[in-house]
Amino acid sequence: MQSNPLELTLCGIFLKNPVIAASGTFGFGHEYSEVMDISRLGGISGKGLTLNGSAGNKGMRVYETPSGMLNSIGLENPGVRHFVEHEAAYMRTLGPAVIANLGGHCEEDYLEGARLLNNADIDILELNISCPNVKAGGMAFGMLPDTAADITKKVKAVSKHPVMVKLSPNAPDLVAVARACEGAGADALSLVNTFLGMAIDVKKKRPVFENIYAGLSGPAILPIALRMVHQVAHAVNIPVVGMGGITSAEDALKFLMAGAVAVQVGTMTFADPNAMLSIIDGLAEYCAQEGLANLQEIVGII
Amino acid sequence: MAIIKSNSEIASAIWRMTVSGTPLGRAGQFFMLRVPGALDPLLGRPISICEIDAELGETTFVYQTVGRGTAQFARLLPGQEIEAQGPYGNGFPLKAGRAVLIGGGIGTAPMLQLAKELHASDPTRMIDVYLGFREEAYLEKSFEQYADSVTRNIGGYVVNDVDFSLDATYYACGPAPMLRAAASAADEASANLFVSLEKHMACGVGACLGCTCQTEHGRKRVCKDGPVFDYREVRDAI
Ligand SMILES: Cc1cc2nc3c(=O)[nH]c(=O)nc-3n(C[C@H](O)[C@H](O)[C@H](O)COP(=O)(O)OP(=O)(O)OC[C@H]3O[C@@H](n4cnc5c(N)ncnc54)[C@H](O)[C@@H]3O)c2cc1C
Ligand SMILES: Cc1cc2nc3c(=O)[nH]c(=O)nc-3n(C[C@H](O)[C@H](O)[C@H](O)COP(=O)(O)O)c2cc1C
Ligand code: FES
């Protein structure tokens, strides 16, 4: 039997290909399962969860910018308990690896959330210390090496799942944060979350978003995200999952060559729900063309 | 992928585009339209179904050029492809009995397919249409084949023309101030009113939570749970 050149293991979990739906852009899979074949994905990272759920931010929430978008969703989510009781089992039926993305406002939120997630049939816990859209906590945990290491260590201690820490590109010294998370026991890293940006409504003479600042994603951020993935992947020995503006198989290959073992795709799915499927097809074609037995052979060649 | 059959300006900055090869839909639903492969503008633009010709397999959209995305649509020529993702959204409920349709500006567009469906589902029903425009009327003539009366208002407040005390179901789509006026009129007359809401959208399918609004029954997504709501449910969101 011919082996599948796209398969890999990430934190001991089998992925049939390295294309993962990015957190917050795919719900828990329900919506896109109606418009595309989501069973073909390598993995799905669910909407960012907080312990008690949240109604999210008021006012404008999404705003297009040149080749990208700003969002200020503010982690609207049904809470960890709802996820454990209703969504995790559903996600398991879909086929792709199941990743739960956990955010929090304070240490105890994260730890209680991680404890509750021990009761869910998930593959990986993605520890989101990088959401720029919540007032308390969120990104604050991911800005400095010490706080990032501290929360990683504590979550690792209570979680029975592999922990992948999702990093913020807004950290003043991202490589130091990445190394600190590795030192604290992180099983993998994912990056980047959105860049803190801003929009102003000139006619109304006021910021577009109630929170003033919002998170930038999409093709506009790709070159910066790629540089950051390259720097981090070369600084740590744990697997790195790369993302930021990926729209095509060629973009995905850039992240793999820069050192990511897998990629996540977010904003492009909004523009074209089938984008991830085209990326998977394109990666398979690339392996055939290049005569690669496994795509992982090109990881980190640059 | 849909193929453009025609795309022309029918009034100042108002364009009518007919496409074939699109999955059908029903009144009040919308498609995310996008120029294939474009990364700037990146996201699809939500545009309502204006009219469906099921026999020809054609769907018509009427759009106003307000920004970069819609300006790009206006440059497309017959024979070119356009990505039409959908149909998305819940659509208008077809309630039995008399119907009153209120369209303001580009909000007129989805009312046409609604009139068509209401008429087809019960050719004997009374349908009254009220259309409000700032300067120039469009689509007005197309309503005549389905409606018992078509009243137009240019430059004024279309809601003031409407009698809300009829034993009828009211449907409205248009700018927020028009919907608010319709809601207060419906309150006074205890009328049944359905409104179609507009929010900036990224995905159109209910996944990004970019378009949620506060309702009587918690937060709902305009793209997936709407865009059509009983006005009582979304009072605070109009
Ligand atoms: C359910 C629904 C149905 C609609 N049906 C129609 C229709 O049939 N005909 C029509 O002309 N218009 C319709 N609109 C409005 C239309 O989507 C916007 O005018 C269009 O997206 C503007 O895009 P732009 O690039 O030209 O403008 P820009 O202002 O450059 O757009 C920038 C961003 O803001 C978003 N945006 C701007 N204005 C609106 C708006 N009013 N509503 C939602 N998003 C907006 C755009 O989608 C884009 O992401 C509908 C909106 C919704 C939500
Ligand atoms: C609307 C929206 C919501 C998001 N929500 C989350 C979230 O809940 N948790 C998280 O870790 N990242 C979230 N993100 C960030 C994405 O997962 C991803 O890191 C980022 O968008 C960059 O990838 P992209 O350019 O492919 O979208 C969100 C992004 C968008 C656009
Ligand atoms: S536009 Fe994404 S949830 Fe409505």
Side-chain angles (χ1 to χ4, degrees), chain A residues 124-137:
Chain A
I124 296 173
L125 191 168
E126 185 171 46
L127 183 64
N128 177 2
I129 54 170
S130 46
C131 180
N133 294 322
V134 289
K135 287 231 164 73

Side-chain angles (χ1 to χ4, degrees), chain A residues 215-234:
Chain A
L216 182 66
S217 63
I221 69 170
L222 186 142
I224 318 179
L226 187 62
R227 183 263 295 172
M228 289 175 162
V229 166
H230 185 255
Q231 288 177 322
V232 167
H234 285 72

Side-chain angles (χ1 to χ4, degrees), chain B residues 215-235:
Chain B
T215 74
E216 274 199 329
H217 308 104
R219 291 200 78 86
K220 291 204 174 176
R221 300 158 298 183
V222 170
C223 68
K224 179 83 177 172
D225 308 309
V228 178
F229 294 94
D230 184 320
Y231 85 99
R232 295 182 204 97
E233 203 193 338
V234 291
R235 277 211 150 282

Side-chain angles (χ1 to χ4, degrees), chain A residues 248-291:
Chain A
S248 63
E250 192 178 328
D251 289 345
L253 288 168
K254 295 172 196 168
F255 278 86
L256 294 174
M257 289 182 184
V261 300
V263 296
Q264 295 190 12
V265 178
T267 304
M268 190 56 196
T269 299
F270 299 155
D272 175 5
N274 288 310
M276 284 189 283
L277 303 184
S278 312
I279 292 172
I280 294 166
D281 293 339
L283 292 177
E285 254 170 59
Y286 179 80
C287 288
Q289 273 165 14
E290 296 283 314

Side-chain angles (χ1 to χ4, degrees), chain A residues 21-25 45-49 61-62 69-73 75-76 101 126-131 133 166 191-194 215-219 221-222 243-246 264-268 270, chain B residues 202 207-210:
Chain A
S23 178
T25 65
S45 179
K47 176 64 197 171
L49 302 165
R61 285 184 169 193
V62 290
M69 63 178 280
L70 287 161
N71 89 79
S72 180
I73 309 294
L75 285 184
E76 175 174 344
N101 181 283
E126 185 171 46
L127 183 64
N128 177 2
I129 54 170
S130 46
C131 180
N133 294 322
K166 183 158 179 186
L191 66 153
V192 296
N193 207 318
T194 53
L216 182 66
S217 63
I221 69 170
L222 186 142
M243 77 196 92
I246 295 173
Q264 295 190 12
V265 178
T267 304
M268 190 56 196
F270 299 155
Chain B
C208 75
L209 306 181

Side-chain angles (χ1 to χ4, degrees), chain A residues 64, chain B residues 30 45-48 62-64 66-70 106 109 197-201 227:
Chain A
E64 200 181 89
Chain B
F30 64 94
R45 294 330 195 219
I47 302 289
S48 303
V62 170
Y63 60 95
Q64 184 166 21
V66 296
R68 296 202 312 140
T70 47
I106 198 66
L197 298 186
E198 257 185 27
K199 278 268 185 180
H200 280 230
M201 295 180 174

Side-chain angles (χ1 to χ4, degrees), chain A residues 24-27 31-32 34-35 47 55 57 59-69 73 76 218-219 247 267-268 270-273, chain B residues 32 34 38-45 68 83 85 88 199-212 214 219-221 224:
Chain A
T25 65
F26 216 73
E31 295 79 14
Y32 279 109
E34 292 172 20
V35 296
K47 176 64 197 171
N57 291 339
M60 183 78 95
R61 285 184 169 193
V62 290
Y63 182 84
E64 200 181 89
T65 58
S67 289
M69 63 178 280
I73 309 294
E76 175 174 344
T247 68
T267 304
M268 190 56 196
F270 299 155
D272 175 5
Chain B
M32 292 297 270
R34 179 167 172 261
L39 295 184
D40 187 26
L42 178 69
L43 303 170
R45 294 330 195 219
R68 296 202 312 140
E83 222 174 271
Q85 301 156 18
Y88 294 150
K199 278 268 185 180
H200 280 230
M201 295 180 174
C203 70
V205 302
C208 75
L209 306 181
C211 69
T212 61
Q214 195 55 45
R219 291 200 78 86
K220 291 204 174 176
R221 300 158 298 183
K224 179 83 177 172

Side-chain angles (χ1 to χ4, degrees), chain A residues 120-165:
Chain A
D121 176 21
I122 60 167
D123 294 314
I124 296 173
L125 191 168
E126 185 171 46
L127 183 64
N128 177 2
I129 54 170
S130 46
C131 180
N133 294 322
V134 289
K135 287 231 164 73
M139 189 169 86
F141 286 91
M143 297 306 277
L144 296 171
D146 288 351
T147 46
D150 190 50
I151 196 73
T152 301
K153 194 173 197 166
K154 287 174 174 154
V155 168
K156 266 301 284 180
V158 300
S159 180
K160 69 170 201 192
H161 303 294
V163 174
M164 173 162 83
V165 183

